[in-house]
């Protein structure tokens, strides 16, 4: 299944609420750009590996005018338990979407085949004993594909988009910074 959105579309929801109950407006804000990343469940070792790498450069991302928001398909309470106390996650905007409402609106689906990627399997095996979180995917499955969106926060228009093929197929900080430069100049 392909996503129901494309670059140039307006994101199909106006705001998103973090686990700290902060409402982030997606189409009427002066934030500049929003990097909206959709991950798997909050106990996913692959997602937490990438999230930890991203968080180590969070100040660079924010200085470039990008507000990063990470969405898990876990209940908000589960995300609070897993990431709320982790030092490297304290400066991140995290969202729990336990019903997958946002995923459904965007057409983000699951794929059993997506997990057969060598890099994803390697990260999963390497980090599953390091990131020992409560949610191990039993809430809504472990085969969710990731998605990255770069949104103009004044209009809600999707400027850039990546629909991952496997769990590690997501934007890194360098990619976000390149897109930030591109759209600040245009």
């Amino acid at each position: 299944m392909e996503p129901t959105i494309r670059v140039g579309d307006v994101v199909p929801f106006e705001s998103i609420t973090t686990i700290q109950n902060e409402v982030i407006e997606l189409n009427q804000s002066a934030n500049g750009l929003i990097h909206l990343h959709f991950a798997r469940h909050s106990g996913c070792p692959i997602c937490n590996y990438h999230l930890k790498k991203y968080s180590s450069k969070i100040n660079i991302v924010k200085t470039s005018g990008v507000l990063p928001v990470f969405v898990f398909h876990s209940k908000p309470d589960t995300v609070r338990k897993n990431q709320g106390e982790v030092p490297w996650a304290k400066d991140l905007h995290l969202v729990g979407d336990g019903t997958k409402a946002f995923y459904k609106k965007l057409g983000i689906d699951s794929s059993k085949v997506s997990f057969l990627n060598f890099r994803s399997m390697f990260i999963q095996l390497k980090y599953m004993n390091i990131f020992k979180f409560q949610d191990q995917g039993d809430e809504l499955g472990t085969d969710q594909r990731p998605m990255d969106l770069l949104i103009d926060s004044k209009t809600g228009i999707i400027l850039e988009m990546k629909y991952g093929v496997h769990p590690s197929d997501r934007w890194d900080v360098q990619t976000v910074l390149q897109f930030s430069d591109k759209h600040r100049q245009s």
Side-chain angles (χ1 to χ4, degrees), residues 96-155:
D97 182 13
T99 62
K100 282 190 167 180
F102 296 119
Y103 292 78
K104 291 172 188 169
K105 282 185 180 181
L106 297 172
I108 306 172
D109 68 352
S110 301
S111 169
K112 301 274 185 222
V113 179
S114 75
F115 209 78
L116 298 177
N117 175 272
F118 176 76
R119 183 168 187 251
S120 293
M121 289 190 301
F122 175 75
I123 293 170
Q124 174 85 15
L125 292 171
K126 183 175 180 180
Y127 289 98
M128 62 193 226
N129 289 322
I130 294 172
F131 300 119
K132 293 184 179 180
F133 294 125
Q134 176 188 11
D135 171 21
Q136 294 302 317
D138 43 346
E139 283 184 0
L140 292 168
T142 60
D143 53 359
Q144 187 68 51
R145 293 170 60 186
M147 179 181 273
D148 288 284
L149 302 174
L150 188 69
I151 301 167
D152 179 330
S153 68
K154 293 178 187 139
T155 62

Side-chain angles (χ1 to χ4, degrees), residues 15 17 25 33 37 61 112 121 128 131 141 144 149 163 165:
S15 65
T17 303
E25 299 292 333
L33 301 173
H37 174 74
V61 174
K112 301 274 185 222
M121 289 190 301
M128 62 193 226
F131 300 119
Q144 187 68 51
L149 302 174
Y163 189 37
V165 176

Side-chain angles (χ1 to χ4, degrees), residues 12-184:
F13 36 91
E14 295 179 3
S15 65
I16 199 160
T17 303
T18 70
I19 61 170
Q20 296 89 4
N21 293 317
E22 174 188 6
V23 176
I24 297 175
E25 299 292 333
L26 300 176
N27 63 2
Q28 299 174 8
S29 169
N31 284 333
L33 301 173
I34 297 173
H35 172 209
L36 193 56
H37 174 74
F38 290 86
R40 299 181 337 150
H41 57 94
S42 69
C44 167
I46 297 167
C47 302
N48 282 288
Y49 164 77
H50 289 289
L51 191 64
K52 186 172 182 182
K53 280 180 59 178
Y54 196 105
S55 72
S56 70
K57 298 180 181 176
I58 196 72
N59 291 332
I60 297 168
V61 174
K62 288 181 177 179
T63 301
S64 76
V66 177
L67 179 69
V69 179
F70 299 90
V71 184
F72 292 101
H73 70 68
S74 299
K75 296 173 187 165
D77 284 343
T78 305
V79 178
R80 267 187 219 97
K81 287 175 191 166
N82 286 340
Q83 281 76 22
E85 302 298 319
V86 179
W88 49 262
K90 68 179 172 42
D91 294 326
L92 302 175
H93 301 280
L94 304 173
V95 176
D97 182 13
T99 62
K100 282 190 167 180
F102 296 119
Y103 292 78
K104 291 172 188 169
K105 282 185 180 181
L106 297 172
I108 306 172
D109 68 352
S110 301
S111 169
K112 301 274 185 222
V113 179
S114 75
F115 209 78
L116 298 177
N117 175 272
F118 176 76
R119 183 168 187 251
S120 293
M121 289 190 301
F122 175 75
I123 293 170
Q124 174 85 15
L125 292 171
K126 183 175 180 180
Y127 289 98
M128 62 193 226
N129 289 322
I130 294 172
F131 300 119
K132 293 184 179 180
F133 294 125
Q134 176 188 11
D135 171 21
Q136 294 302 317
D138 43 346
E139 283 184 0
L140 292 168
T142 60
D143 53 359
Q144 187 68 51
R145 293 170 60 186
M147 179 181 273
D148 288 284
L149 302 174
L150 188 69
I151 301 167
D152 179 330
S153 68
K154 293 178 187 139
T155 62
I157 292 175
I158 299 167
L159 303 172
E160 302 286 345
M161 170 179 161
K162 178 179 180 84
Y163 189 37
V165 176
H166 56 79
S168 287
D169 191 14
R170 59 189 73 216
W171 289 342
D172 58 13
V173 169
Q174 192 60 38
T175 302
V176 173
L177 295 175
Q178 287 171 349
F179 287 144
S180 171
D181 286 345
K182 173 183 169 184
H183 290 286
R184 278 188 293 140

